[in-house]
């Protein structure tokens, strides 16, 4: 066990006390109709790596709380065999920080500290469930979002000795947030053929998905980068199937057998991507999704 003694003042060089406030209202008109609205403001302490320089007790500049403003409203309609909910949301996530390995002007690897990352997330969501008969159920969902960076970011580059090498602004305003499909849809159906035996199928759609990008490629002038979007991943659909059988015993013990097939149509699709610029040419590193995969198992409960 090695104990290192730090000066007393370094222990309190950076301190954060996050807080939040939220409120909501729900109005049930009758047994069929219900509406709700809620919102809040949250502060969040930055991640440890965004506060302290590597292997030191020195702190980076531009340290502040992350601030989140959010509001959501929705409506639910209910019948004995049908339920539908629609809601909309609006969120601002401001003053986010990020650190990552970065190539320095001399070609060596240093550390990039990004501050002032502001993002706006807004969208609508719809989901519904329908049971035409007791043992058959259909579900559906649709979501459409518009998630963008709402302001440019400031970047500070440090070498291995934690010396500030350079600073610049990254022009990411109006560029879409990457690594998440902003338009999705699904249709699901299940049928309990006999007691304990159930089969089902799911159809899934993923769209409006943008690649993550290297902030280093966003230097220059605002006019060049303001509406320069990241690589947009092609839309794709997959089909999954499943089956299960459960037996219950008088002693309270239960045993379930299940089997799943994912992407059973063996659809070829790009699941994720990294936007890049190589030798002045636009390019993207892409990661393909899995083909058809199958799994089966047994679960015992007591």
């Amino acid at each position: 066990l090695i104990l290192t003694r730090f000066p007393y003042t370094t222990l309190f060089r950076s301190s954060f006390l996050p807080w939040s406030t939220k409120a909501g209202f729900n109005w049930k008109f009758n047994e069929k109709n219900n509406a709700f609205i809620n919102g809040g403001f949250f502060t969040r302490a930055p991640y440890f790596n965004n506060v302290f320089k590597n292997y030191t007790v020195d702190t980076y500049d531009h340290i502040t709380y992350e601030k989140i403003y959010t509001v959501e409203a929705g409506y639910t309609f209910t019948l004995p065999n049908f339920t539908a909910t629609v809601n909309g949301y609006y969120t601002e996530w401001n003053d986010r920080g990020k650190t990552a390995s970065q190539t320095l002007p001399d070609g060596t690897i240093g550390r990039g500290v990004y501050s002032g990352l502001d993002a706006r997330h807004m969208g609508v969501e719809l989901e519904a469930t329908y049971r035409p008969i007791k043992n058959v159920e259909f579900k559906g969902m649709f979501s459409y979002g518009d998630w963008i960076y709402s302001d440019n970011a400031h970047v500070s580059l440090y070498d291995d000795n934690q010396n500030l090498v350079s600073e610049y602004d990254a022009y990411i305003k109006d560029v879409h947030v990457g690594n998440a499909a902003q338009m999705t849809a699904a249709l699901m159906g299940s049928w309990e053929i006999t007691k304990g035996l159930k089969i089902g199928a799911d159809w899934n759609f993923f769209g409006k998905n943008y690649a993550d990008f290297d902030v280093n490629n966003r230097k220059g002038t605002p006019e060049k980068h303001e509406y320069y979007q990241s690589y947009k991943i092609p839309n794709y659909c997959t089909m999954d199937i499943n089956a299960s059988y459960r037996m219950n015993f008088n002693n309270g013990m239960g045993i379930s057998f299940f089997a799943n097939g994912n992407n059973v149509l063996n659809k070829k699709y790009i699941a994720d991507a990294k936007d890049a610029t190589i030798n002045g040419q636009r390019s993207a590193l892409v990661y393909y999704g899995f083909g058809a995969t199958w799994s089966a198992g047994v679960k015992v409960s007591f």
Side-chain angles (χ1 to χ4, degrees):
L1 178 64
I2 300 176
L3 299 177
T4 303
R5 183 177 181 180
F6 293 104
Y8 176 80
T9 56
T10 65
L11 297 177
F12 300 96
R13 184 163 294 180
S14 291
S15 61
F16 298 92
L17 183 63
W19 61 276
S20 64
T21 179
K22 55 184 177 179
F25 177 75
N26 187 82
W27 184 12
K28 189 172 184 178
F29 303 92
N30 48 47
E31 294 299 321
K32 297 179 180 179
N33 300 278
N34 184 82
F36 64 89
I37 184 171
N38 58 72
F41 172 73
F42 309 86
T43 62
R44 175 176 170 177
Y47 286 111
F48 190 86
N49 287 341
N50 300 335
V51 177
F52 294 98
K53 298 180 180 180
N54 272 0
Y55 314 116
T56 72
V57 293
D58 295 326
T59 58
Y60 290 115
D61 297 329
H62 315 297
I63 302 172
T64 185
Y65 287 99
E66 297 182 8
K67 304 174 186 66
I68 305 169
Y69 309 83
T70 183
V71 62
E72 179 186 26
Y75 167 76
T76 300
F77 178 72
T78 304
L79 292 174
N81 63 342
F82 176 79
T83 301
T85 299
V86 59
N87 71 284
Y89 61 89
Y90 181 91
T91 300
E92 291 186 4
W93 190 347
N94 298 333
D95 295 321
R96 295 174 61 188
K98 179 182 178 181
T99 60
S101 298
Q102 199 91 340
T103 302
L104 303 180
D106 63 0
T108 61
I109 301 299
R111 192 171 183 83
V113 181
Y114 316 137
S115 59
L117 287 170
D118 297 345
R120 186 215 67 200
H121 294 68
M122 60 186 293
V124 293
E125 300 172 331
L126 170 67
E127 59 180 21
T129 301
Y130 175 56
R131 295 183 179 87
I133 58 177
K134 181 179 179 181
N135 297 333
V136 175
E137 181 180 76
F138 296 101
K139 292 183 178 180
M141 62 80 61
F142 174 79
S143 69
Y144 184 89
D146 189 41
W147 310 343
I148 63 170
Y149 290 102
S150 53
D151 202 356
N152 299 317
H154 186 78
V155 183
S156 301
L157 296 180
Y158 295 84
D159 61 19
D160 284 343
N161 296 320
Q162 309 307 321
N163 297 314
L164 180 63
V165 175
S166 65
E167 296 182 274
Y168 64 89
D169 289 325
Y171 297 102
I172 60 175
K173 183 179 179 181
D174 294 326
V175 176
H176 282 88
V177 176
N179 285 344
Q182 298 181 28
M183 181 168 63
T184 61
L187 292 174
M188 298 156 277
S190 63
W191 177 27
E192 187 174 12
I193 302 172
T194 61
K195 185 177 180 179
L197 176 61
K198 181 183 288 188
I199 60 174
D202 304 339
W203 172 85
N204 305 285
F205 169 82
F206 302 89
K208 204 181 178 188
N209 192 356
Y210 294 84
D212 197 8
F213 58 88
D214 187 349
V215 176
N216 245 345
N217 294 330
R218 302 284 166 166
K219 294 186 289 186
T221 61
E223 293 78 13
K224 180 180 179 181
H225 295 285
E226 188 171 5
Y227 297 104
Y228 179 54
Q229 289 297 340
S230 184
Y231 169 70
K232 187 178 180 180
I233 298 172
N235 300 344
Y236 66 92
C237 304
T238 61
M239 177 69 74
D240 304 331
I241 59 175
N242 58 81
S244 64
Y245 179 67
R246 177 177 175 83
M247 295 185 296
N248 296 313
F249 302 97
N250 294 332
N251 59 2
M253 179 179 173
I255 183 169
S256 299
F257 304 88
F258 61 89
N260 299 298
N262 297 318
N263 191 17
V264 294
L265 301 181
N266 201 31
K267 174 72 174 180
K268 294 182 179 179
Y269 64 93
I270 298 174
D272 200 1
K274 177 77 173 181
D275 198 45
T277 301
I278 300 176
N279 297 326
Q281 299 296 316
R282 181 77 178 275
S283 63
L285 174 66
V286 301
Y287 301 88
Y288 284 93
F290 291 105
T293 58
W294 306 87
S295 62
V298 179
K299 182 170 65 176
V300 179
S301 58
F302 300 91

